[in-house]
Amino acid sequence: MSRSKRLYERSKRLMPGGVNSPVRSFYHVGRNPVFIDHAKGSKIYDVDGREYIDYVCSYGPAILGHANERVVRAVQTACEGGLSFGAPTEREAILAELIMTCVPSMERLRLVNSGTEAVMSAVRAARGFTGREKIIKFEGCYHGHSDGMLVKAGSGVLTQSMADSAGITAAEVKNTLVAKYNDRESVEKLFQENPGEIAAVIVEPVAANMGVVLPEDGFLAFLRKITRDGGALLIFDEVITGFRLALGGAQEFYGVTPDLTTLGKIAGGGLPLAAYGGRREIMEQIAPLGKVYQAGTLSGNPAAVAAGIETLSILMEEKEKGFYERLEENGAYLAGELKNRLGELVQVNQVGSLLSVFFAHAPVTDYALAAASDTGRFAKYFNGMLERGIFLAPSQFEAMFLSAEHTKEELHLTACAAGEVLKEMRMNGDVN
Ligand code: HOZ
């Protein structure tokens, strides 16, 4: 029995499904999860000594590749000075300044510990500021696992084919209204039916938790206008897109400025750190200045903040040397190569270093089209790729992430592996 299998058997007796986050279970691709020993650069290594080219990248944080030496050194130095204080530090100010330089719409911000917490706090701030209760979210967009955001959510919720999560009261979700991504009419209808009641529209500016689904031309600008006209706030959940599509995230990339932004993943360089922030008058509603309460013992944790500072500093330096252009070039190259090898069986959506291979026949532009993908075929593809040393997320509905460490040769090898998997699927009669 492999070490991964033994660890899985042991972990199953300790944690639900043997994992600490359901997406990590390989339940929906029909095998036990690979347990990780370590990772470096673009590669990840399992406890049985197998090496993989990693396209999970910790679901986003590892944009510089794993275990970047500067980031690791910065964390080590911070740790030597103490792990947590419960009092403010200069490092927190430095990180806040760096974030604001990259994302100028965040005139004030708070550091928190996870994307879930950032979204939960931003939604509360929006409600506190507007005095309204209803929030519009989009089918298939995932904003972490706070109660009100688990309605028609993406990521693991979609993978498990759950309509919504159990354990959430009707009262919690009655103020979550659901629109269709890329469908302006569905948003207009909700504004018409709930005049003066919408506190905010929250959106992943590039949906990346139902697979990667790009906003159609003008969709984000439309959201900007309808929220402004309706006295509601626009929240961009940039936990995935922040510092990834551009240094200033999707708001820089698409030129649309939200009122509030949530960040996570890259912001903490691989350690638990997230942030929310936006217009000063909104953020000044937060305690101790205002009446919206939000707090956290580990918020602004010195090790996480050090990782964030170093990561953002490197990105700022590298941006000048064409960092984001290279990521886009590599993303487009891999998307093109995968489409060439897999042909009509798939739709490949890509923007920058985010991409998805959907086992679908029609272009995927919303939740319904994403959800109609052939997850059985995806499972076969996933297993074939894993056997060939390509580490993908074990779900049709999670993105592929590229890092700066992925080489053209690795991208080429990945596409070749996809071609071989397709041949094998044909031989086994899984596809025609
Ligand atoms: N929400 C994350 C994926 N979209 C989960 C990541 C994890 O399970 O590690």
Side-chain angles (χ1 to χ4, degrees):
M1 193 193 284
S2 68
R3 280 198 73 199
S4 273
K5 178 85 175 131
R6 277 207 302 278
L7 283 172
Y8 181 49
E9 294 307 323
R10 178 172 159 199
S11 299
K12 272 198 294 187
R13 293 192 292 273
L14 304 167
M15 292 162 263
V19 288
N20 281 312
S21 188
V23 173
R24 296 176 200 175
S25 117
F26 282 22
Y27 196 75
H28 293 276
V29 289
R31 67 188 295 155
N32 62 283
V34 164
F35 277 63
I36 300 307
D37 183 71
H38 68 284
K40 180 76 187 157
S42 60
K43 302 279 180 54
I44 195 158
Y45 301 83
D46 72 15
V47 289
D48 292 294
R50 293 200 62 198
E51 175 187 284
Y52 306 87
I53 304 173
D54 180 23
Y55 293 100
V56 177
C57 287
S58 182
Y59 291 95
I63 194 166
L64 298 173
H66 291 285
N68 175 281
E69 275 161 32
R70 274 178 60 181
V71 177
V72 170
R73 237 188 351 263
V75 172
Q76 283 167 341
T77 306
C79 288
E80 280 158 19
L83 294 179
S84 181
F85 310 124
T89 61
E90 183 179 5
R91 280 200 187 96
E92 289 161 77
I94 295 171
L95 180 58
E97 281 164 359
L98 285 173
I99 293 174
M100 285 173 186
T101 305
C102 299
V103 189
S105 71
M106 297 174 83
E107 295 169 356
R108 294 286 185 276
L109 63 83
R110 268 278 163 85
L111 300 178
V112 291
N113 297 291
S114 71
T116 293
E117 205 186 325
V119 166
M120 190 181 76
S121 310
V123 165
R124 188 179 301 147
R127 287 181 167 141
F129 181 72
T130 59
R132 301 173 176 185
E133 295 194 350
K134 294 184 178 168
I135 304 290
I136 297 179
K137 79 173 282 291
F138 293 90
E139 266 184 349
C141 281
Y142 181 74
H143 304 289
H145 63 93
S146 62
D147 286 353
M149 289 295 114
L150 279 181
V151 184
K152 284 269 190 231
S155 191
V157 185
L158 178 51
T159 306
Q160 314 255 344
S161 307
M162 289 162 75
D164 306 308
S165 167
I168 295 173
T169 63
E172 286 291 347
V173 297
K174 83 170 194 321
N175 287 318
T176 306
L177 312 177
V178 182
K180 292 185 176 144
Y181 195 76
N182 276 331
D183 182 337
R184 299 177 195 207
E185 274 175 29
S186 70
V187 183
E188 280 161 354
K189 190 160 176 280
L190 289 175
F191 268 91
Q192 278 154 17
E193 288 171 355
N194 299 276
E197 290 185 276
I198 312 288
V201 172
I202 184 164
V203 67
E204 289 182 84
V206 170
N209 283 287
M210 49 174 145
V212 174
V213 177
L214 276 56
E216 284 174 356
D217 271 357
F219 181 63
L220 298 175
F222 157 78
L223 294 181
R224 179 61 284 178
K225 180 164 176 2
I226 197 166
T227 44
R228 196 169 273 147
D229 292 350
L233 302 183
L234 179 60
I235 307 175
F236 274 6
D237 181 342
E238 297 231 42
V239 167
I240 287 182
T241 50
F243 312 109
R244 180 166 283 281
L245 282 197
L247 200 51
Q251 52 197 274
E252 177 188 319
F253 191 84
Y254 290 106
V256 176
T257 305
D259 300 294
L260 289 169
T261 299
T262 58
L263 298 168
K265 303 205 190 254
I266 294 171
L271 292 194
L273 183 142
Y276 73 100
R279 275 168 42 207
R280 179 175 164 174
E281 65 268 34
I282 305 169
M283 291 303 290
E284 286 185 345
Q285 301 300 311
I286 309 294
L289 298 183
K291 289 188 181 313
V292 176
Y293 198 73
Q294 174 269 314
T297 299
L298 292 174
S299 294
N301 173 267
V305 168
I309 292 172
E310 205 58 29
T311 301
L312 298 196
S313 302
I314 295 171
L315 290 175
M316 284 166 118
E317 290 162 29
E318 291 298 314
K319 180 193 167 192
E320 304 308 320
K321 303 180 204 153
F323 181 86
Y324 288 98
E325 289 78 3
R326 267 197 313 281
L327 278 184
E328 167 60 40
E329 190 188 312
N330 284 348
Y333 171 76
L334 181 59
E337 286 289 290
L338 288 169
K339 179 69 187 158
N340 284 344
R341 313 280 165 147
L342 297 169
E344 285 177 7
L345 210 57
V346 300
Q347 305 291 323
V348 183
N349 286 358
Q350 174 261 334
V351 58
S353 53
L354 286 172
L355 61 152
S356 265
V357 174
F358 289 100
F359 284 81
H361 293 296
V364 178
T365 55
D366 65 14
Y367 169 86
L369 292 160
S373 302
D374 189 329
T375 51
R377 277 187 184 163
F378 173 82
K380 299 259 163 43
Y381 169 72
F382 169 86
N383 279 291
M385 293 296 267
L386 192 72
E387 278 152 26
R388 288 164 180 80
I390 311 295
F391 196 68
L392 304 173
S395 165
Q396 171 68 97
F397 307 113
E398 300 291 341
M400 281 175 85
F401 293 90
L402 290 189
S403 79
E405 291 288 300
H406 285 85
T407 63
K408 271 265 166 62
E409 196 196 338
E410 287 166 351
L411 304 180
H412 175 71
L413 287 174
T414 303
C416 293
E420 283 175 27
V421 173
L422 177 63
K423 257 190 222 149
E424 188 175 82
M425 285 167 77
R426 284 215 170 100
M427 261 164 40
N428 294 339
D430 297 320
V431 293
N432 299 325

